[in-house]
Amino acid sequence: MKDDHSLSPHCDCRESPSDRSIPEKPCEAALATYRRALTEGSLPAGAVPSCLRALHLLVPDREAPGRLVPVPPETASFAALAPIEEVIAEQHRTLRSARATLAAFEGLYADVRRQESPALTRLSGTAVISRALDAGVSGCRTEVRTAHPGGGRPAHALEESLPRDLGNLRRGIRQRTLYQHTVRSDRATLDYIDQVTAEGAEIRTLPEVVDRFLVFDQDLAFVPFSDDPYSALRVRHPSLVRFLVRHFDEAWARAVPVRPERAPLRTPVVVSDLQRAILQAVVSGETDAAIGRRIGLSRRSVAEHMRRISEQLGSTSRAQLGYLVATSGLLDD
């Protein structure tokens, strides 16, 4: 009897990716051919789709060359899946080997890092912070930069820092300090400034200083830790220290030098800077208390400045003052 299936039927199995020999889902031709093979016992090789051969569901008939016989899927799975399972097993062996190798390097990395100083360290307690500052002072080689926001510094802080600062200056260390303009009316801070400038320290003031920080040379800094007055952050990260140095130097270039013998006198520049800062805050909608905290003045002093400016501009309300300031050109550079 002549066979009507001398040519392989069209196979449209869903393959992903396209070059895979084993499909994700069998095509209708494969299912129909396998059913016919089970019914007839064997089929000509040319009548069998390639996907059935790839799955080992039809294999060569040893007794009839050129024909294929069907085998149970369970039996076919050994031949079809064994190469895939071997590849997976090899990948697992490679994964375990890579993990073991990286673990050895992790140990080495940890050992080396333990010998290094941490880039950021939280210091808690005034005694701990004071000892850390003493260590920073003793290790300083060329320059100390410090910035102090607010008005005059507390007397106990000045007493604690004075011997340390004088010792540094007498060792030839350059010391530059930034304060806010309001420090010029604080007698205790001016006494401290008088003593350190006599030894070569340089002091300047600005309307505002963003935050308190100290930088020793260009490799160690101390900054407040969040809002906790009893904690500080010791910074050794080179990029962060360089950022603080640049921030300080830019502020220093804009600041006004302090001459202790003339500091109590409100120079026109200082008065202008203070009033400018207050006017900018008024335009921004800040309250007197918020302005005072930021520029180091009492709420009453801020109110007095605003009263004088209001009289000059003819303002009768805060809202009108903000409008007149914004449109008067007083804040133009």
Side-chain angles (χ1 to χ4, degrees):
M1 179 178 176
K2 186 178 178 181
D3 193 281
D4 295 332
H5 297 274
S6 57
L7 297 178
S8 175
H10 175 67
C11 175
D12 61 351
C13 293
R14 298 180 183 177
E15 299 182 2
S16 179
S18 59
D19 59 348
R20 283 179 51 179
S21 59
I22 298 179
E24 286 186 353
K25 184 176 181 181
C27 61
E28 292 299 325
L31 292 170
T33 302
Y34 186 66
R35 178 186 294 274
R36 179 166 168 257
L38 292 173
T39 303
E40 299 181 8
S42 68
L43 291 175
V48 178
S50 60
C51 57
L52 290 178
R53 296 180 217 177
L55 289 168
H56 298 271
L57 287 168
L58 276 89
V59 299
D61 187 348
R62 295 181 181 179
E63 298 178 357
R67 296 187 69 83
L68 302 180
V69 294
V71 298
E74 183 179 357
T75 303
S77 68
F78 289 102
L81 302 181
I84 300 174
E85 291 175 343
E86 178 56 32
V87 170
I88 295 173
E90 178 61 28
Q91 290 295 325
H92 279 298
R93 288 191 291 269
T94 302
L95 177 62
R96 287 194 297 270
S97 177
R99 281 177 173 166
T101 302
L102 288 172
F105 283 100
E106 286 176 358
L108 176 61
Y109 181 88
D111 288 341
V112 172
R113 283 289 179 263
R114 274 194 292 269
Q115 299 172 13
E116 298 177 352
S117 299
L120 300 173
T121 305
R122 180 176 180 175
L123 308 173
S124 298
T126 54
V128 174
I129 295 172
S130 181
R131 284 197 294 270
L133 290 174
D134 288 340
V137 168
S138 62
C140 186
R141 302 179 302 278
T142 58
E143 182 174 5
V144 178
R145 296 172 172 86
T146 63
H148 298 278
R153 294 172 63 190
H156 68 86
L158 294 170
E159 291 174 3
E160 182 180 348
S161 62
L162 182 61
R164 193 162 52 208
D165 296 339
L166 292 176
N168 248 7
L169 292 164
R170 289 163 185 166
R171 286 197 298 124
I173 304 298
R174 184 185 184 189
Q175 178 171 320
R176 290 189 287 164
T177 301
L178 281 172
Y179 290 107
Q180 290 183 234
H181 286 331
T182 48
V183 81
R184 292 170 179 263
S185 60
D186 183 76
R187 190 67 262 169
T189 306
L190 288 175
D191 289 341
Y192 161 82
I193 291 174
D194 192 22
Q195 295 180 71
V196 294
T197 53
E199 296 291 339
E202 302 167 66
I203 311 293
R204 295 187 181 185
T205 62
L206 283 168
E208 303 176 46
V209 176
V210 175
D211 214 336
R212 175 174 285 104
F213 63 88
L214 297 87
V215 181
F216 296 100
D217 298 324
Q218 295 196 32
D219 49 25
L220 174 64
F222 293 87
V223 298
F225 188 89
S226 188
D227 297 326
D228 185 353
Y230 302 106
S231 293
L233 197 63
R234 182 171 57 198
V235 182
R236 295 186 184 275
H237 195 288
S239 296
L240 293 178
V241 176
R242 282 197 300 271
F243 171 81
L244 292 173
V245 168
R246 286 197 303 269
H247 175 68
F248 180 94
D249 290 346
E250 290 171 0
W252 183 262
R254 303 191 308 270
V256 181
V258 176
R259 296 185 180 91
E261 69 279 4
R262 296 174 55 191
L265 300 176
R266 298 272 182 158
T267 67
V269 172
V270 170
V271 172
S272 174
D273 277 351
L274 282 171
Q275 290 183 344
R276 189 181 189 83
I278 292 171
L279 292 177
Q280 288 173 331
V282 169
V283 172
S284 298
E286 294 187 41
T287 64
D288 291 357
I291 297 171
R293 283 194 300 271
R294 187 155 56 78
I295 66 176
L297 285 176
S298 68
R299 184 178 179 280
R300 180 176 297 178
S301 296
V302 173
E304 178 61 21
H305 275 286
M306 290 180 59
R307 183 189 65 77
R308 293 175 184 174
I309 298 169
S310 295
E311 289 179 355
Q312 294 173 16
L313 296 180
S315 169
T316 57
S317 68
R318 191 182 188 90
Q320 185 183 21
L321 176 62
Y323 171 78
L324 291 174
V325 169
T327 58
S328 65
L330 288 174
L331 297 180
D332 294 343
D333 289 334

